[in-house]
Amino acid sequence: MSKLNYHHLYYFWRVAKQGNLTKTAEALHISQSALSAQIRQLEATMGVELFVREGRQLRLTESGQSALVYAEEIFKRGEELESLLSKGIQPELLTVRIGVLTTMSRNFVESFIEPLIRRPNTKYMLHARGQVNLLNAVANHEFDLALTNIQVLGTNKELWQCQLLARQPVAIVGPPDLPLGKAFSSRYKDHEWVAPVSESPVRSAFDSFCAQHQFKPRIVAEADDMAMLRLLARDTGALAVMPNVVVKDELQQGRLVNYLTLPNVYENFYAVTVKRQIQNQLVSELINSAIKA
């Protein structure tokens, strides 16, 4: 087992936050050469390069970014431990960082974080990203977990933990008072449609449903973003294909009506994490709460 020198790690942490070796050395009251030597020893112990030099500035490598996240947690926990042991003071604030796929339903995201709303001494940070950037951020420990509707499978490089949180039925929704009935029929042919883009699993399922009924919808708008589909469903007067959760408020208010739930068609929502040595207790609480809902 390699021996991590926390004194060296502390120096790395200070330099990483400052981004400047000279200024950090001045703040720590040591020489710049001594500070550089301490960080080189840390890199040698860990077998990685933590910084690359760009002019007079230091930039963190990918390994350095990961090390900084852990260092932040370690020294924050150290301060909390010192307060707990010396003064009996519990940590003031629990924080969780959540990455969200940009195209996901905001209603689902809100329902996921609902246990944190109005919870004392808790802070949650939400960041929207595309799928690739989202997973990279989780792998680099920038986020504690990610929410996505795309299942993530493990690779040789990363051991993903992908947990199914919920399956939302997909429905045909539209403005109220349309004479459509409870079963799919020729009456649906008289209307315009808005739908997810063709690459979407929801759209693929809808296309299969239409093929089974020998029906070709007049699709006038497509979007890959559920928030945009929500607006199109609400404001265009067209029929729309989407999970009920996306237009939950409009359905409750009577602005939209669920005319037909597509049989055996669902949108799946996942929580994605990677194995970590220091686990955020809020992550398991949120995941368990979502699964039980």
Side-chain angles (χ1 to χ4, degrees):
M1 179 178 177
S2 62
K3 298 188 185 328
L4 174 62
N5 187 311
Y6 287 92
H7 193 64
H8 295 165
L9 183 65
Y10 177 74
Y11 283 158
F12 156 78
W13 179 55
R14 293 291 298 269
V15 173
K17 293 178 63 160
Q18 177 68 50
N20 185 287
L21 199 65
T22 302
K23 291 182 179 179
T24 305
E26 292 174 354
L28 294 172
H29 306 292
I30 62 174
S31 69
Q32 182 174 328
S33 59
L35 183 57
S36 295
Q38 302 271 15
I39 292 176
R40 284 197 299 271
Q41 289 181 45
L42 178 63
E43 291 177 320
T45 301
M46 297 292 98
V48 295
E49 188 178 32
L50 299 173
F51 292 105
V52 292
R53 183 175 290 277
E54 294 183 346
R56 296 185 178 182
Q57 299 295 315
L58 294 174
R59 181 176 62 82
L60 287 167
T61 63
E62 184 175 347
S63 295
Q65 290 281 2
S66 297
L68 177 58
V69 173
Y70 277 95
E72 289 275 10
E73 188 74 17
I74 287 168
F75 292 115
K76 182 184 77 173
R77 294 293 186 188
E79 292 173 357
E80 292 173 355
L81 176 61
E82 183 179 1
S83 296
L84 178 63
L85 295 179
S86 62
K87 305 173 184 176
I89 300 174
Q90 295 288 342
E92 293 185 0
L93 190 67
L94 293 175
T95 302
V96 60
R97 299 159 301 175
I98 303 172
V100 178
L101 185 66
T102 52
T103 57
M104 273 189 68
S105 163
R106 296 308 185 251
N107 282 340
F108 178 80
V109 175
E110 184 179 35
S111 68
F112 179 79
I113 65 170
E114 196 276 334
L116 303 180
I117 298 174
R118 293 180 293 278
R119 174 172 170 165
N121 303 322
T122 303
K123 176 182 178 182
Y124 48 93
M125 295 180 285
L126 303 173
H127 303 268
R129 302 263 180 102
Q131 181 77 355
V132 174
N133 289 336
L134 188 68
L135 297 182
N136 286 339
V138 174
N140 292 331
H141 307 292
E142 294 175 40
F143 301 150
D144 296 300
L145 81 157
L147 296 178
T148 179
N149 56 11
I150 304 171
Q151 186 175 15
V152 179
L153 302 177
T155 67
N156 292 330
K157 184 178 179 181
E158 300 290 351
L159 185 58
W160 299 108
Q161 297 173 320
C162 186
Q163 176 70 57
L164 177 64
L165 299 176
R167 303 179 74 204
Q168 292 288 338
V170 174
I172 296 173
V173 302
D177 302 323
L178 296 180
L180 294 177
K182 294 294 185 181
F184 192 79
S185 67
S186 60
R187 295 178 180 178
Y188 283 84
K189 297 180 181 179
D190 299 329
H191 297 276
E192 296 179 333
W193 294 74
V194 297
V197 295
S198 57
E199 295 82 7
S200 164
V202 171
R203 174 64 179 277
S204 297
F206 177 62
D207 289 345
S208 297
F209 175 83
C210 291
Q212 292 172 13
H213 291 82
Q214 298 181 337
F215 170 61
K216 187 173 182 180
R218 286 187 292 130
I219 296 177
V220 296
E222 299 179 343
D224 64 358
D225 180 82
M226 285 296 170
M228 179 56 67
L229 279 175
R230 175 188 181 186
L231 294 178
L232 292 172
R234 189 184 69 188
D235 299 334
T236 63
L239 294 175
V241 181
M242 63 183 64
N244 284 328
V245 68
V246 177
V247 288
K248 177 182 67 176
D249 295 337
E250 286 78 7
L251 291 172
Q252 291 175 349
Q253 296 162 5
R255 299 182 66 179
L256 292 173
V257 173
N258 178 343
Y259 285 101
L260 179 67
T261 298
L262 299 181
N264 301 316
V265 179
Y266 300 92
E267 182 175 27
N268 295 328
F269 297 96
Y270 301 94
V272 181
T273 58
V274 292
K275 286 188 175 180
R276 298 184 61 177
Q277 306 248 336
I278 303 174
Q279 294 291 343
N280 188 323
Q281 70 182 67
L282 293 177
V283 170
S284 59
E285 291 179 21
L286 287 169
I287 290 176
N288 290 335
S289 178
I291 292 173
K292 293 176 182 178

